[in-house]
């Protein structure tokens, strides 16, 4: 099966779409779990190398499967138009989701992201580490972060020219040109997060090499964070977000474990 098939596979319609700003991209899709009772909130940030060609619709199959597993799943859209639009939107979407929602939340929130969305999830969890004058700074912390084949270091994305230098579109240039931007946008520069992080990465990933997660795990552990890296043999970049592949049990179990209350 073509691992990219998930990018265009139809999914059930969303249950609610919330708006956090006036622009077309400034929305969040909600998929509700079965039953009316409270559920953990999972915020799933999509990938696509921060480019406008790839939007949130490709996460439909994964988000639907996770909602059916008992999670309240929120999928923010955001502008993929460069600095500072993307980070502005992610911060605003997370702030909206910290308020009242159409379904009761159990009180536990997990941030997750795939590929470029992994960078955004880690960055969102690190907002308390930003300078005091930053408009993105917040004291709110998630309970856990789960990253799927994440771009967890923007500096390495630039050094390795991932996605045909996709990070240059996000930040505006390379680390030498904009060191102050990388300092506040690169998750690897904002350690420690202070929340548990689980990294899942396919061993056969040819878009974001597994070395990215290995490097981040080492840096996070050295900074004192609780971090776990799980390398999945035979799995590539897109299989991680496809509930019809062999990666699904590991992805589902990691997200449900992150959402489970700590005894």
């Amino acid at each position: 099966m073509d691992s990219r098939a998930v990018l265009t596979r139809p999914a059930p319609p969303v249950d609610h779409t919330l708006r956090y700003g006036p622009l077309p991209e400034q929305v969040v899709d909600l998929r509700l779990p079965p039953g009316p009772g409270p559920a953990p909130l999972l915020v799933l940030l999509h990938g696509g190398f921060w480019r406008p060609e790839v939007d949130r619709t490709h996460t439909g199959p994964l988000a639907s499967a996770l909602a059916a597993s008992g999670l309240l799943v929120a999928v923010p859209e955001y502008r993929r138009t460069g600095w500072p639009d993307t980070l502005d939107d992610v911060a605003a979407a997370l702030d909206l989701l910290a308020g009242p929602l159409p379904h009761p939340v159990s009180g536990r929130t997990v941030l997750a992201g795939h590929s470029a969305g992994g960078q955004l999830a880690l960055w969102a969890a690190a907002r308390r580490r930003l300078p005091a004058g930053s408009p993105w700074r917040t004291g709110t912390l998630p309970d856990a972060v789960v990253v799927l084949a994440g771009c967890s270091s923007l500096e390495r994305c630039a050094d390795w020219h991932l996605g045909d230098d996709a990070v240059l579109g996000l930040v505006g240039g390379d680390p030498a040109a904009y060191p102050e931007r990388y300092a506040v946008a690169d998750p690897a520069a904002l350690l420690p997060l202070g929340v548990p992080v689980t990294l899942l990465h396919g061993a056969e990933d040819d878009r974001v090499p597994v070395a990215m997660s290995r490097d981040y795990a080492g840096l996070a552990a050295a900074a004192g964070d609780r971090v776990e890296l799980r390398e999945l043999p035979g799995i590539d970049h897109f299989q991680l977000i496809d509930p019809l592949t062999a990666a699904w049990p590991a992805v589902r179990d990691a997200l449900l474990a992150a959402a489970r209350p700590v005894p």
Side-chain angles (χ1 to χ4, degrees), residues 162-260:
L162 298 189
D164 295 324
D165 289 317
V167 72
L168 306 188
L170 172 70
V171 184
D174 63 23
Y178 292 103
E180 73 287 354
R181 294 184 179 183
Y182 281 83
V184 297
D186 190 338
L190 294 169
L191 292 166
L193 293 189
V195 298
V197 175
T198 302
L199 309 167
L200 277 72
H201 215 122
E204 304 304 319
D205 195 324
D206 60 358
R207 290 177 175 259
V208 180
V210 68
M212 177 77 73
S213 288
R214 291 173 185 162
D215 288 354
Y216 181 86
L219 292 171
D225 275 343
R226 290 170 51 197
V227 59
E228 179 183 3
L229 170 59
R230 302 177 191 171
E231 298 182 24
L232 305 183
I235 298 299
D236 69 13
H237 192 67
F238 296 108
Q239 288 171 308
L240 275 176
I241 58 168
D242 189 344
L244 300 184
T245 70
W248 165 240
V251 172
R252 177 199 60 211
D253 291 352
L255 289 164
L256 290 177
R260 192 174 301 127

Side-chain angles (χ1 to χ4, degrees), residues 1-261:
M1 181 174 65
D2 179 6
S3 67
R4 293 177 58 91
V6 70
L7 301 181
T8 55
R9 185 182 307 141
V14 302
D15 296 297
H16 297 277
T17 297
L18 310 179
R19 181 164 291 283
Y20 64 89
L23 299 177
E25 301 93 338
Q26 293 173 329
V27 294
V28 180
D29 290 339
L30 290 184
R31 295 180 185 270
L32 307 187
L41 174 64
L42 171 68
V43 183
L44 177 62
L45 289 150
H46 74 80
F49 277 133
W50 311 282
R51 288 187 170 121
E53 294 81 8
V54 182
D55 64 17
R56 70 193 187 283
T57 57
H58 75 274
T59 65
L62 177 61
S64 296
L66 291 168
S69 299
L71 301 173
L72 171 58
V73 182
V75 181
E77 191 55 275
Y78 51 88
R79 286 173 288 172
R80 284 92 63 214
T81 48
W83 192 271
D85 297 349
T86 298
L87 301 185
D88 281 347
D89 283 1
V90 170
L94 268 291
D95 291 346
L96 172 76
L97 291 168
L101 297 175
H103 188 92
V105 178
S106 67
R108 192 162 177 87
T109 298
V110 176
L111 300 186
H114 172 245
S115 194
Q119 175 264 330
L120 295 173
L122 289 167
W123 175 81
R127 289 168 62 198
R128 69 180 182 88
R129 302 268 302 158
L130 296 174
S134 171
W136 302 319
R137 183 180 168 93
T138 180
T140 303
L141 281 174
D143 294 287
V145 181
V146 178
V147 179
L148 311 175
C151 297
S152 50
S153 168
L154 293 185
E155 185 172 347
R156 282 171 174 74
C157 286
D159 290 345
W160 299 349
H161 304 287
L162 298 189
D164 295 324
D165 289 317
V167 72
L168 306 188
L170 172 70
V171 184
D174 63 23
Y178 292 103
E180 73 287 354
R181 294 184 179 183
Y182 281 83
V184 297
D186 190 338
L190 294 169
L191 292 166
L193 293 189
V195 298
V197 175
T198 302
L199 309 167
L200 277 72
H201 215 122
E204 304 304 319
D205 195 324
D206 60 358
R207 290 177 175 259
V208 180
V210 68
M212 177 77 73
S213 288
R214 291 173 185 162
D215 288 354
Y216 181 86
L219 292 171
D225 275 343
R226 290 170 51 197
V227 59
E228 179 183 3
L229 170 59
R230 302 177 191 171
E231 298 182 24
L232 305 183
I235 298 299
D236 69 13
H237 192 67
F238 296 108
Q239 288 171 308
L240 275 176
I241 58 168
D242 189 344
L244 300 184
T245 70
W248 165 240
V251 172
R252 177 199 60 211
D253 291 352
L255 289 164
L256 290 177
R260 192 174 301 127

